[in-house]
């Protein structure tokens, strides 16, 4: 800090180089001590005019300091979750604030010279103009440390179990609880030594967070320096200092297990990899027909009752991702309850531990404040990026992005912004693209590789895929699993329709399928799709003139397509062998169906009618493979090939 003093008597102030004024530079940490030191050093004579000016400077200095620390504003207007402050508050864009006497959490979303706009993440009922709003000096951030997994949070990372203990089943306004347990001691193994030079992202300690996942505590991405001291291995809380480093500027920094990170800022990485490894889900129509890559993006659009949530549940349960982040954005409370109950009972097939050991739930149900929906998406995404930085493959289930978009629409309406298509804000597309763009397979700052895969459910009103959220989502995802109402009503699940769905990852993943499953895999998949497309064309003719007039080769296509639909695409989530199917079994099922088609086509070419072929039980037998062949008895497929050959011989003998 600098103070200028005009000397009243040059002769009485000895040793001054400047006859017009004296410049005093003092430390802001110790105002009084600094002034005294400079006065002694410069041999300045203290008179009354000097004292008066010094007192004025002191008062203004401390008022500035306090204002910087605790910038405040006064509520001028309230419009639902949106509040307005008049005058220049000094707040910053995206800064977190506390609103009113109850300290409701809010975020600055618009700044004008004379007006500050804030969105509040809690119910604003009872707020009045004139109440105070206090700045925190930081953006809306999440706490990153051990304790995130096997937990359930609200949209701004407040643990719901802790809230329930303090305020009951429903979230009370202004409730303040620690994001993570700060008293629990974690067993930490330190991985650095004194003298090591650490960069951002480097791992300093390993902590067994759950039985399934080792939590790797890292240096914050924007920090680097030399290690001065390290604690021995042992048990520590998330706030205890583990490592002290010295930066190149000579500043000492204490590192704990904890980081804070703003939710709207993507965590930095070294570089991005192209898609090359599939996310294996155990669901045949996804893995075989419309695969998604690790680090990929997918949308599951569908009307009410078509099975969006159930499809996401299946992927969350059985996919080969290391960690699942399930975001219930504006979901029904009973669906989130179902997730909690089911996931806590399920066993992880990979490790044998409970599935919740590698799962985090963010519950922002439909009765929670609408503004918090907007934050919940980014909260889940930031948690996912944090675990990706450790080298894990993370899958995000966002259910549903439509309700997030509806929250944007409501807030945009209250802000009196110009609406675009169907009332959604004009920036809907850019918000969606920024969200999906944070997915990817990355090479992290610490040299590990990790991925974030985003699977977002879309709930178009009336099942209309032409509405803005579905159409804009389609622009930014490479995998589209369109759910069909007629399939769902016919109890065909997953109700992903093979004609409206697509995956752009198939070409990228073909080398992996060739190396890890079979060189014939992609060819078999394409042949199945061709048969299903042929069936669609033939059904148009059947609707007009009936199936009897079709030649036998076309009748065969209809029958084989039925086998594909019922025996391969349809899957029973409640059957122990059918709920999750390995890639090898999926290939052998395709191989068996296509072998049946080959033998039947040979018979039809010889002139054997379809009525004779259908009189045999072979088609129903192949459909039942999904139930009859256990996942650990794949050698049984050889018998089915023999059964098809026997069927071929019987038809030949009968009609010889």
């Amino acid at each position: 800090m600098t103070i200028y003093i005009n000397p009243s008597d040059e002769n009485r102030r000895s040793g001054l180089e400047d006859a017009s004024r004296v410049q005093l530079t003092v430390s802001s940490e110790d105002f009084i001590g600094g002034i005294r030191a400079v006065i002694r050093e410069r041999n300045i004579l203290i008179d009354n005019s000097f004292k008066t000016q010094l007192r004025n400077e002191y008062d203004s200095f401390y008022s500035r300091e306090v204002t910087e620390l605790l910038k405040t504003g006064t509520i001028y207007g309230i419009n639902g979750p949106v509040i307005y402050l008049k005058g220049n508050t000094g707040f910053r864009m995206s800064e977190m604030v506390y609103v009113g006497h109850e300290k409701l959490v809010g975020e600055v979303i618009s700044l004008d010279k004379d007006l500050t706009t804030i969105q509040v993440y809690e119910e604003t009922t009872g707020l009045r103009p004139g109440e105070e709003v206090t700045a925190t000096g930081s953006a809306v951030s999440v706490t990153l440390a051990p304790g995130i997994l096997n937990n359930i949070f609200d949209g701004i990372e407040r643990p719901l179990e802790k809230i329930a203990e303090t305020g009951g089943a429903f979230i009370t306004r202004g409730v303040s609880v620690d994001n993570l347990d700060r008293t629990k001691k974690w067993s930490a193994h330190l991985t650095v030594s004194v003298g090591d030079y650490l960069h951002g992202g480097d791992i300093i300690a390993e902590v067994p967070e759950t039985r399934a996942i080792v939590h790797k505590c890292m240096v914050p991405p924007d920090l680097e320096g030399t290690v001065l001291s390290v604690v021995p291995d042992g048990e520590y809380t998330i706030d205890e200092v583990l490592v002290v480093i010295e930066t190149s500027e000579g500043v000492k920094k204490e590192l704990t297990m904890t980081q804070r990170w703003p939710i709207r800022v993507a965590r930095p990485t070294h570089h991005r990899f192209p898609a090359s490894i599939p996310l294996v889900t155990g669901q045949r129509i996804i893995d075989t027909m419309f695969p998604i890559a690790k680090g990929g993006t997918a949308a599951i659009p569908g009307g009410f009752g078509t099975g969006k949530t159930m499809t996401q549940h299946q992927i969350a349960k059985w996919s080969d991702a290391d960690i699942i982040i399930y975001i219930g954005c504006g979901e029904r409370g009973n669906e989130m309850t179902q997730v909690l109950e089911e996931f806590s009972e399920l066993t992880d097939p990979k490790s044998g531990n409970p599935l919740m050991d590698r799962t985090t739930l963010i519950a922002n149900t439909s009765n929670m404040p609408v503004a918090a929906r907007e934050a919940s998406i980014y909260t889940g995404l930031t948690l996912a990026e944090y675990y990706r930085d450790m080298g894990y493959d993370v899958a995000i289930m966002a259910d549903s992005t439509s309700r997030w978009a509806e929250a944007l629409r409501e807030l945009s309406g209250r802000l009196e912004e110009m609406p675009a298509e169907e009332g959604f804000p004009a920036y809907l597309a850019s918000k969606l693209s920024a969200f999906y763009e944070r997915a990817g397979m990355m090479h992290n700052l610490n040299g590990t590789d990790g991925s974030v895969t985003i699977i977002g459910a879309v709930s178009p009103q009336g099942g209309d895929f032409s509405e803005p959220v579905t159409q804009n989502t389609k622009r930014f995802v490479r995998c589209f699993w369109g759910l069909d109402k007629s399939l769902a009503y016919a109890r065909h699940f997953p109700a992903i329709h093979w004609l409206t769905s697509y995956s752009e990852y198939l070409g990228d993943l073909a080398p992996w399928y060739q190396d890890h499953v079979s060189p014939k895999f992609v060819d078999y998949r394409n042949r199945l799709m061709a048969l299903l497309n042929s069936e669609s064309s033939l059904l148009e003719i059947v609707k007009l003139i009936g199936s009897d007039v079709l030649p036998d080769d076309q009748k065969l296509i209809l029958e084989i397509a039925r086998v594909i639909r019922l025996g391969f695409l349809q899957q029973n989530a409640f059957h122990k062998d059918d709920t999750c199917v390995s890639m090898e079994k999926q290939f052998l099922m395709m191989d068996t169906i296509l072998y049946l088609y080959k033998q039947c086509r040979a018979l039809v070419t010889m002139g054997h009618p379809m009525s004779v072929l259908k009189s045999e039980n072979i088609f129903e037998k192949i459909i039942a493979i999904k139930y009859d062949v256990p996942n650990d008895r794949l050698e049984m497929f050889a018998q089915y090939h023999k059964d098809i050959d026997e069927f071929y011989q019987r038809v030949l003998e009968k009609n010889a």
Side-chain angles (χ1 to χ4, degrees):
M1 176 182 180
T2 303
I3 302 174
Y4 295 104
I5 310 253
N6 292 319
S8 55
D9 186 346
E10 185 183 340
N11 296 325
R12 290 169 62 197
R13 298 175 184 265
S14 58
L16 299 180
E17 294 174 6
D18 187 353
S20 61
R21 62 183 184 173
V22 180
Q23 176 178 320
L24 304 182
T25 304
V26 299
S27 160
S28 59
E29 283 81 13
D30 185 6
F31 186 94
I32 301 296
I35 291 287
R36 281 176 179 157
V38 175
I39 287 170
R40 280 199 301 271
E41 185 187 332
R42 303 285 293 275
N43 194 21
I44 294 171
L45 184 69
I46 306 288
D47 60 9
N48 286 331
S49 68
F50 181 85
K51 284 178 181 175
T52 304
Q53 190 174 355
L54 196 58
R55 190 177 295 112
N56 293 338
E57 286 286 349
Y58 178 82
D59 292 343
S60 68
F61 169 72
Y62 270 103
S63 65
R64 282 200 305 275
E65 281 291 291
V66 171
T67 308
E68 275 300 314
L69 288 171
L70 289 175
K71 289 177 181 157
T72 58
T74 305
I75 296 176
Y76 173 74
I78 303 168
N79 184 2
V82 177
I83 63 169
Y84 302 97
L85 315 181
K86 242 202 173 155
N88 187 1
T89 56
F91 292 179
R92 291 180 292 177
M93 194 66 182
S94 297
E95 187 173 5
M96 180 174 148
V97 297
Y98 291 124
V99 179
H101 306 307
E102 293 180 288
K103 302 286 186 201
L104 308 180
V105 178
E107 181 182 11
V108 178
I109 57 170
S110 172
L111 285 171
D112 206 331
K113 187 174 73 171
D114 300 317
L115 195 68
T116 300
T117 309
I118 291 166
Q119 70 177 12
V120 184
Y121 293 132
E122 299 184 60
E123 184 59 54
T124 55
T125 307
L127 268 185
R128 293 194 305 263
E131 289 193 51
E132 197 173 65
V133 179
T134 308
T136 62
S138 60
V140 177
S141 305
V142 289
T143 304
L144 304 170
I148 294 170
L149 294 178
N150 200 357
N151 212 334
I152 176 166
F153 301 99
D154 74 348
I156 46 178
E157 207 203 14
R158 296 182 299 187
L160 294 183
E161 285 184 21
K162 281 277 175 34
I163 293 173
E165 288 170 14
T166 57
F170 292 95
I171 301 175
T172 50
R173 297 193 320 152
V175 65
S176 181
V177 295
D178 286 331
N179 300 48
L180 298 170
D181 191 342
R182 296 189 180 277
T183 58
K184 182 176 178 179
K185 287 191 176 286
W186 299 90
S187 176
H189 165 62
L190 279 293
T191 57
V192 294
S193 309
V194 174
D196 291 352
Y197 192 85
L198 301 180
H199 298 85
D202 284 351
I203 296 162
I204 59 169
E206 293 180 345
V207 177
E209 185 172 0
T210 65
R211 284 164 289 184
I213 300 294
V214 174
H215 192 108
K216 296 167 187 176
C217 304
M218 297 171 287
V219 179
D222 53 354
L223 197 61
E224 59 180 74
T226 307
V227 177
L228 294 180
S229 66
V230 181
V231 298
D233 290 2
E235 297 204 339
Y236 303 94
T237 66
I238 61 172
D239 291 324
E240 288 184 74
V241 177
L242 303 180
V243 176
V244 177
I245 65 170
E246 186 177 22
T247 65
S248 53
E249 291 83 27
V251 180
K252 291 181 181 176
K253 295 281 187 181
E254 295 179 336
L255 302 182
T256 65
M257 295 184 194
T258 308
Q259 289 186 36
R260 296 275 297 168
W261 193 265
I263 60 173
R264 298 186 190 279
V265 178
R267 287 177 67 84
T269 58
H270 196 277
H271 64 264
R272 182 190 293 260
F273 293 114
S276 59
I277 302 168
L279 182 75
V280 179
T281 65
Q283 313 306 300
R284 289 186 293 268
I285 191 163
I286 294 175
D287 292 343
T288 298
M289 308 309 261
F290 310 109
I292 181 173
K294 282 182 178 175
T297 52
I300 312 180
F304 174 75
T306 52
K308 296 182 295 295
T309 301
M310 286 307 299
T311 305
Q312 285 194 317
H313 285 197
Q314 282 294 98
I315 297 169
K317 287 175 194 174
W318 305 113
S319 68
D320 65 347
D322 298 314
I323 288 166
I324 302 292
I325 309 285
Y326 195 98
I327 309 169
C329 180
E331 270 304 286
R332 307 174 193 89
N334 64 315
E335 289 186 350
M336 287 311 297
T337 307
Q338 187 185 352
V339 175
L340 266 176
E341 288 179 348
E342 282 191 3
F343 278 34
S344 55
E345 291 170 5
L346 281 171
T347 302
D348 181 5
K350 289 193 291 185
S351 63
N353 298 315
L355 194 62
M356 279 302 292
D357 280 0
R358 60 180 183 94
T359 305
T360 295
L361 301 177
I362 295 179
N364 189 259
T365 54
S366 47
N367 65 325
M368 292 182 185
V370 71
R373 286 186 203 176
E374 209 256 335
S376 64
I377 289 282
Y378 295 105
T379 298
L381 198 46
T382 307
L383 296 182
E385 288 178 338
Y386 177 59
Y387 281 100
R388 175 208 66 202
D389 290 350
M390 298 179 199
Y392 291 117
D393 294 315
V394 189
I396 294 179
M397 307 295 148
D399 189 14
S400 108
T401 55
S402 288
R403 297 192 181 104
W404 171 55
E406 285 163 13
L408 287 176
R409 178 166 63 184
E410 182 172 330
L411 289 165
S412 174
R414 291 186 186 274
L415 293 168
E416 298 176 9
E417 295 170 340
M418 185 68 77
E421 194 179 357
E422 290 192 22
F424 287 103
Y427 49 79
L428 173 66
S430 60
K431 286 274 189 183
L432 282 166
S433 65
F435 168 64
Y436 283 108
E437 197 56 36
R438 284 171 72 171
M441 174 76 80
M442 305 293 189
H443 187 66
N444 300 315
L445 298 177
N446 54 24
T448 59
D449 296 336
S451 66
V452 172
T453 309
I454 300 178
I455 299 168
V458 186
S459 313
Q461 293 184 351
D464 178 16
F465 286 4
S466 64
E467 58 89 45
V469 181
T470 311
Q471 285 301 310
N472 282 307
T473 301
K474 247 181 151 175
R475 291 165 60 192
F476 308 118
V477 299
R478 294 186 65 196
C479 203
F480 187 84
W481 300 324
L483 299 177
D484 188 77
K485 200 178 285 184
S486 59
L487 285 177
Y489 291 168
R491 319 308 299 161
H492 177 112
F493 291 106
I496 298 171
H497 202 287
W498 45 92
L499 298 179
T500 56
S501 305
Y502 62 83
S503 172
E504 293 175 10
Y505 293 112
L506 196 65
D508 300 330
L509 301 176
W512 187 91
Y513 286 125
Q514 286 177 357
D515 295 342
H516 293 85
V517 187
S518 168
K520 299 176 182 175
F521 185 91
V522 177
D523 176 51
Y524 280 10
R525 179 261 174 204
N526 291 338
R527 285 164 66 183
L528 257 60
M529 273 305 298
L531 286 164
L532 291 166
N533 283 321
S534 300
E535 181 202 35
S536 174
S537 307
L538 291 171
L539 286 176
E540 295 295 320
I541 301 167
V542 170
K543 281 179 189 173
L544 291 171
I545 56 175
S547 60
D548 294 341
V549 297
L550 292 177
D552 281 320
D553 59 334
Q554 292 182 353
K555 286 180 182 174
L556 175 61
I557 289 173
L558 290 179
E559 190 62 28
I560 291 294
R562 186 179 75 89
V563 172
I564 296 168
R565 283 189 288 106
L566 299 182
F568 190 80
L569 301 183
Q570 192 179 27
Q571 203 162 337
N572 188 345
F574 300 102
H575 191 280
K576 65 180 180 68
D577 286 315
D578 201 37
T579 185
C580 175
V581 182
S582 67
M583 292 302 304
E584 191 182 356
K585 185 177 175 182
Q586 294 183 38
F587 173 75
L588 290 170
M589 287 173 77
M590 285 198 293
D591 181 60
T592 306
I593 292 168
L594 288 169
Y595 186 66
L596 174 65
Y597 177 55
K598 177 190 166 188
Q599 295 295 71
C600 289
R601 196 172 56 187
L603 290 169
V604 168
T605 308
M606 292 177 200
H608 298 286
M610 269 304 295
S611 55
V612 174
L613 273 60
K614 287 173 76 172
S615 65
E616 298 280 338
N617 193 35
I618 192 69
F619 295 104
E620 303 304 323
K621 192 169 183 176
I622 300 301
I623 289 171
I625 282 177
K626 58 184 183 179
Y627 299 137
D628 295 345
V629 177
N631 292 332
D632 55 353
R633 295 280 312 279
L634 300 185
E635 68 276 3
M636 290 173 66
F637 277 96
Q639 183 59 45
Y640 282 89
H641 276 253
K642 290 176 184 172
D643 292 343
I644 293 167
D645 289 338
E646 287 171 11
F647 151 78
Y648 181 84
Q649 290 299 329
R650 279 200 308 275
V651 172
L652 283 180
E653 288 166 9
K654 275 185 188 176
N655 298 275

